[in-house]
Amino acid sequence: MRTLITGGAGFIGINLAKKILETGEDVVVVDNFFRPGTLQNIKWLEEQQFAGKLSVISLDVRIDWKRLKEIIDDYQIDALYHLAGQVAVTTSVVNPREDFEINALGTFNVLEAIRLSERKPLIIYTSTNKVFGGMEDIEIVEREKDYIYKDFPLGIPESRTLDFHSPYGCSKGAADQYVRDYGRIYGLKTVVFRQSAIYGLRQMGVEDQGWIAWFTIAAVCNKKITIYGNGKQVRDVLFVDDLVNAFQLATENIHKTAGNIFNIGGGPNFKMSLLECLGMLEEQLGQKIDLTFDNWRPGDQPVYVSDIRKAKATFGWEPKIGPQEGVRRLFEWVKSNTDLFAYIEHNPVFKK
């Protein structure tokens, strides 16, 4: 297998690349190196010395799709993981055009590069639970520290009606459906992962994206933490190692997974609220964390939990690393790598 990862220098991509390289397979990482931490991630990966198995190419999926097609054929790519994307709802509200160009147009370009290539590799696309919108019709119950669904104890299934709330939801949702339909219309081997809250090592979290990593970084680096809403918002959380395992299993079972969409998250057993996450961090720090509160963000679901039974039934995947263990691992990594987070000093939002 020869693998190409768009957005491969990002948090998820770098963890996936390392895991694949450790199996002895070739990996091509494609990235535009726009996000903070991507250059550091690549430097770290190159230091692992994978003996010529790793190729790194600077490329922007918004404009370089013809070059991407050539790379697919020249490197004889068998599997493509499309992780390149604009990942924050708040950013999409401020700059919806850029959000559309990166997520919707960028994904369309990747699909065209695959369709017009000789290799026609399989593609796994990372979508989001935001394609389900605010889900205002679903009744929730407010408890002391969290929210729960009244009628969905196992979480939200893939059959849930789509509702592209926010520009981010629209751009990711459009891409989600394009990937699915390119499988149906052109016979490509496509898989969509609608992901919940992913977290883990080498995640350069910021205030508007990657909340578990951001809370951890801010707590360790003594930065201001603002809760938007009341902090009872709940997500099913998934440690990145478990996500990487899902990518590998879905690829190994492509004869079963092709053409399918899967909700991928921690599921009902691995969920937590913002306040519960902060409580875990306080245990690690051995002290209280100062918080401020602000208004709810647009499109922020009070609770989202994935029903992950389809993934288990189709390709035998389920998460293994619970929130307590995952947050502990992330905390220890952040504490040992504080030099990586200098980028927060250059953004006034993150100054205490």
Side-chain angles (χ1 to χ4, degrees), residues 3-179:
T3 297
L4 188 152
I5 307 172
T6 65
F11 150 58
I12 295 175
I14 211 74
N15 279 280
L16 176 60
K18 181 175 183 290
K19 187 68 173 180
I20 296 173
L21 286 164
E22 286 174 343
T23 68
E25 296 176 0
D26 294 340
V27 174
V28 178
V29 166
V30 166
D31 208 293
N32 66 357
F33 300 99
F34 175 77
R35 283 183 62 83
T38 49
L39 290 173
Q40 292 93 326
N41 280 344
I42 284 295
K43 180 181 178 183
W44 168 80
L45 188 62
E46 290 176 336
E47 288 172 350
Q48 311 301 307
Q49 298 180 349
F50 286 107
K53 292 291 184 178
L54 171 65
S55 301
V56 180
I57 299 172
S58 180
L59 182 150
D60 193 322
V61 296
R62 290 174 291 184
I63 55 177
D64 295 330
W65 69 270
K66 290 184 180 179
R67 186 175 173 218
L68 182 62
K69 170 188 169 295
E70 293 172 355
I71 292 169
I72 289 170
D73 286 330
D74 290 347
Y75 285 84
Q76 298 184 312
I77 298 301
D78 300 300
L80 188 154
Y81 301 93
H82 181 36
L83 313 182
Q86 192 296 111
V87 292
V89 172
T90 49
T91 301
S92 78
V93 173
V94 173
N95 194 340
R97 178 176 293 277
E98 182 180 67
D99 174 80
F100 173 84
E101 290 174 348
I102 295 172
N103 291 342
L105 178 60
T107 301
F108 174 78
N109 285 341
V110 171
L111 288 169
E112 280 291 273
I114 292 173
R115 181 178 73 86
L116 297 172
S117 71
E118 295 178 4
R119 300 288 300 180
K120 293 182 174 52
L122 68 89
I123 175 174
I124 297 183
Y125 170 64
T126 51
S127 184
T128 171
N129 63 55
K130 290 295 188 289
V131 300
F132 297 124
M135 301 189 294
E136 292 87 352
D137 60 309
I138 294 181
E139 191 170 350
I140 62 174
V141 177
E142 182 176 358
R143 304 193 299 188
E144 182 181 357
K145 290 187 177 181
D146 63 8
Y147 295 101
I148 60 170
Y149 293 128
K150 180 182 177 182
D151 301 316
F152 290 86
L154 297 177
I156 301 301
E158 292 83 356
S159 57
R160 168 71 188 176
T161 301
L162 301 181
D163 178 16
F164 302 160
H165 192 130
S166 80
Y168 175 72
C170 290
S171 65
K172 294 293 286 187
D176 175 311
Q177 292 299 285
Y178 258 103
V179 173

Side-chain angles (χ1 to χ4, degrees), residues 329-340:
R329 289 193 199 181
L330 177 57
F331 178 87
E332 291 177 353
W333 176 77
V334 169
K335 194 173 180 180
S336 299
N337 293 275
T338 53
D339 59 305
L340 291 176

Side-chain angles (χ1 to χ4, degrees), residues 220-236:
V220 171
C221 297
N222 197 30
K223 298 298 175 181
K224 176 182 176 182
I225 294 180
T226 300
I227 299 294
Y228 296 91
N230 58 18
K232 297 182 181 182
Q233 298 99 305
V234 165
R235 297 292 182 269
D236 61 316

